Amino acid sequence: MSEFVQIEQGTAAVNASGCPSNFSAKDKPDWDLYSTCIHCGLCLNHCPTYRVLGTEMDSPRGRIYQVLQVDAGRLPIADSFVTHIDRCLGCLACETACPSGVQYGHIVERARAQIEEHYRRPLLTRILRWAFYKKILRDYHLLAQSARALRWYQNSIWQSFARKSGILKLLGLAELEKLAPEIDERFFFGEISMLIPAMGKKRGRVAFHAGCIANVAYSSLNYATVRLLSFNGIDVYITPRQRCCGALHAHAGYREDARTLARRNIDTFLDGSQHYDAIVTNAAGCGSNLKQYGDLLAEDPQYAERARIFSAKVKDVTEFLAEITLLEPRKKFQSRVTYQDPCHLAHAQKVRSAPRELLKAVGATIIEMPHQDQCCGNAGTYNVTENELSMKILSAKMDDIASVLPEAKLIVTANVGCMLQLNAGAQQRGINVPVRHVVEVLNDCYY
Ligand code: SF4
Ligand code: SF4
């Protein structure tokens, strides 16, 4: 039997007034969560979808109101509700802006779990979601095979044929195809189970979570991360049997699959055979979800405590390096850069100063762009599923970036998805400025 269970049909629920709710009991957005919203509207102008669309239904306050209506039994989980919840990036800029401490991320993830249970998407969408979330992300062999097929396409004459012949345009895939990550020749999967020893005097030991797609696309970033840690006196153990963190599953409404993955990661990272100071990741979305295992498994009597222990150990690589302080690099990076805060680092993990401190420590000067913590529109799979809106959000981001060019010579961020999106934005605008991860910039200084 598959370890990835079918969505468990929840039992019918009642709302806080004791009336029937249109949500079911499992993973229900509860009154305790959404009633903290005082409808002040201070979040509205921080919300990228509200800024682009200008409609209350596509604002944080509007989405919370719709959740309340569904819970009150007055709004069905149907096309309108699904559209407005789907359009949310999950960027959590609204959580940062909210004076009332609304945990919007918890609300929207639960709303999406309810949609997954109660709403039937079109057949093709269901097939694609099943293949991606239930198969490819679950099985690293299948992920590697799919990546090889994509790499073959990217390196064959078929790619230029498809682009030049107009087939992609005809199929409505021209924009999406450009957003596909470039697949690496060497996958990082081969490094899983390896111990990369510290160079010089040992200062600590970490376990590294390598991500899922990051093993096949931008895998050079994973290599740079373990090297940078090693240069800084850290033993890096690339824990065996590790799995996808489940962030994409949780954001798409597959909370049970996210829980299964979380249990697998907890079992392997906390198996007691190794001691380490932190569980390190270089992907903001993964880090944010790994830190949420405590919430995800709060109702699981076997895992709740271990999930809390696991989450307390998780650190973004920039957070970890800023805490231990960098060793003196071999050379300095004397350039002016602009830094884009990844949403899941700035808003979800509240990590803003560490990447900047590290860049300054190696000699970089930071030219702050306007709205530096506004989403770029990537948001995991959002740039595929909500491509048109994602491109509008990216366009606003590129306006902000363009305003600090040419003074800034490099665009730096701290998340692979943002790199992909900003690269696409730079290409669209004809901006000839490279986009790099903080880790890559730092790593170059130690060679
Ligand atoms: S998570 Fe982002 S897109 Fe969604 S409501 Fe909040 S600010 Fe808007
Ligand atoms: S800022 Fe917070 S309390 Fe105010 S409307 Fe937005 S979510 Fe509600």
Side-chain angles (χ1 to χ4, degrees):
M1 192 181 132
S2 166
E3 61 179 318
F4 282 71
V5 295
Q6 293 296 314
I7 294 279
E8 193 179 304
Q9 294 298 311
T11 48
V14 290
N15 59 31
S17 319
C19 303
S21 167
N22 285 339
F23 292 135
S24 46
K26 192 166 174 65
D27 287 324
K28 178 174 172 291
D30 266 323
W31 169 257
D32 289 352
L33 274 176
Y34 62 72
S35 65
T36 49
C37 175
I38 53 171
H39 316 297
C40 65
L42 289 175
C43 54
L44 265 60
N45 278 323
H46 295 265
C47 172
T49 58
Y50 180 76
R51 285 160 70 104
V52 170
L53 298 168
T55 46
E56 175 75 15
M57 302 285 262
D58 293 302
S59 76
R61 182 176 64 183
R63 292 189 177 107
I64 291 168
Y65 182 72
Q66 291 166 82
V67 165
L68 182 154
Q69 293 298 317
V70 175
D71 197 22
R74 291 192 285 263
L75 182 69
I77 302 180
D79 293 355
S80 168
F81 180 69
V82 174
T83 298
H84 297 298
I85 297 295
D86 276 358
R87 280 186 192 154
C88 170
L89 294 142
C91 68
L92 305 187
C94 47
E95 280 198 5
T96 300
C98 178
S100 187
V102 172
Q103 292 182 297
Y104 179 84
H106 289 342
I107 297 172
V108 80
E109 275 193 10
R110 284 163 174 78
R112 284 180 171 159
Q114 297 285 336
I115 288 172
E116 198 43 40
E117 183 181 337
H118 295 282
Y119 181 76
R120 203 164 169 81
R121 292 181 187 275
L123 180 65
L124 182 61
T125 310
R126 274 185 280 140
I127 292 171
L128 292 173
R129 281 169 66 92
W130 170 82
F132 183 65
Y133 293 108
K134 303 266 181 185
K135 293 288 168 190
I136 294 175
L137 289 185
R138 164 197 169 176
D139 179 345
Y140 279 178
H141 292 292
L142 196 55
L143 174 58
Q145 280 169 2
S146 310
R148 273 188 213 105
L150 183 55
R151 183 174 159 71
W152 173 83
Y153 164 77
Q154 288 174 340
N155 291 325
S156 72
I157 55 162
W158 293 108
Q159 183 174 53
S160 56
F161 172 75
R163 283 179 178 180
K164 284 180 192 155
S165 66
I167 288 178
L168 291 172
K169 258 195 185 156
L170 207 65
L171 296 171
L173 297 173
E175 290 306 316
L176 292 183
E177 195 257 4
K178 280 187 216 150
L179 288 169
E182 206 168 300
I183 302 299
D184 297 305
E185 196 178 335
R186 186 177 166 205
F187 295 168
F188 194 78
F189 287 128
E191 313 305 319
I192 290 178
S193 302
M194 306 287 271
L195 172 68
I196 315 299
M199 285 187 197
K201 188 166 177 271
K202 185 173 153 182
R203 302 164 73 207
R205 181 182 173 90
V206 300
F208 180 58
H209 187 274
C212 52
I213 296 170
N215 284 288
V216 297
Y218 284 111
S219 64
S220 55
L221 177 61
N222 276 354
Y223 286 103
T225 304
V226 296
R227 268 199 311 267
L228 177 64
L229 288 161
S230 167
F231 280 137
N232 277 278
I234 304 298
D235 274 350
V236 186
Y237 184 47
I238 308 167
T239 312
R241 299 180 301 283
Q242 58 175 275
R243 305 297 289 264
C244 163
C245 69
L248 292 173
H249 298 85
H251 298 163
Y254 297 109
R255 275 172 72 87
E256 272 314 312
D257 290 336
R259 287 188 179 104
T260 305
L261 290 162
R263 291 185 192 102
R264 289 290 297 267
N265 280 321
I266 290 167
D267 285 343
T268 186
F269 279 85
L270 298 187
D271 73 355
S273 66
Q274 306 281 336
H275 161 77
Y276 33 77
D277 308 319
I279 298 167
V280 167
T281 168
N282 60 22
C286 302
S288 161
N289 196 56
L290 294 167
K291 287 180 180 180
Q292 291 286 329
Y293 279 4
D295 169 65
L296 200 59
L297 295 171
E299 307 295 322
D300 182 329
Q302 264 187 308
Y303 278 86
E305 181 57 22
R306 294 173 76 213
R308 273 194 294 276
I309 295 168
F310 178 98
S311 289
K313 272 190 173 287
V314 176
K315 284 198 166 45
D316 184 77
V317 63
T318 59
E319 198 181 3
F320 179 78
L321 286 169
E323 272 175 27
I324 63 164
T325 68
L326 290 175
L327 294 178
E328 193 58 25
R330 283 195 193 181
K331 56 180 187 251
K332 292 278 186 180
F333 184 80
Q334 271 147 352
S335 183
R336 290 188 298 275
V337 308
T338 191
Y339 175 73
Q340 155 70 16
D341 285 284
C343 305
H344 281 92
L345 203 53
H347 300 300
Q349 300 182 59
K350 315 291 178 212
V351 177
R352 291 167 187 265
S353 61
R356 290 177 169 83
E357 281 167 25
L358 295 173
L359 288 168
K360 286 181 195 160
V362 295
T365 303
I366 298 174
I367 316 287
E368 295 287 358
M369 69 179 85
H371 313 118
Q372 62 277 76
D373 63 356
Q374 275 270 316
C375 186
C376 63
N378 176 274
T381 54
Y382 188 93
N383 61 348
V384 175
T385 56
E386 300 289 336
N387 182 256
E388 203 183 324
L389 193 47
S390 164
M391 290 301 109
K392 286 184 181 159
I393 292 164
L394 174 61
S395 179
K397 174 55 60 183
M398 295 317 293
D399 287 344
D400 289 334
I401 290 178
S403 74
V404 293
L405 303 178
E407 200 183 353
K409 307 291 179 209
L410 185 67
I411 303 161
V412 183
T413 187
N415 187 48
V416 170
C418 309
M419 288 170 72
L420 190 69
Q421 184 86 341
L422 297 177
N423 259 319
Q427 266 181 28
Q428 278 171 9
R429 290 281 176 106
I431 293 173
N432 196 18
V433 176
V435 180
R436 303 198 76 200
H437 194 289
V438 182
V439 161
E440 293 176 320
V441 173
L442 301 178
N443 186 56
D444 285 355
C445 298
Y446 287 86
Y447 270 109

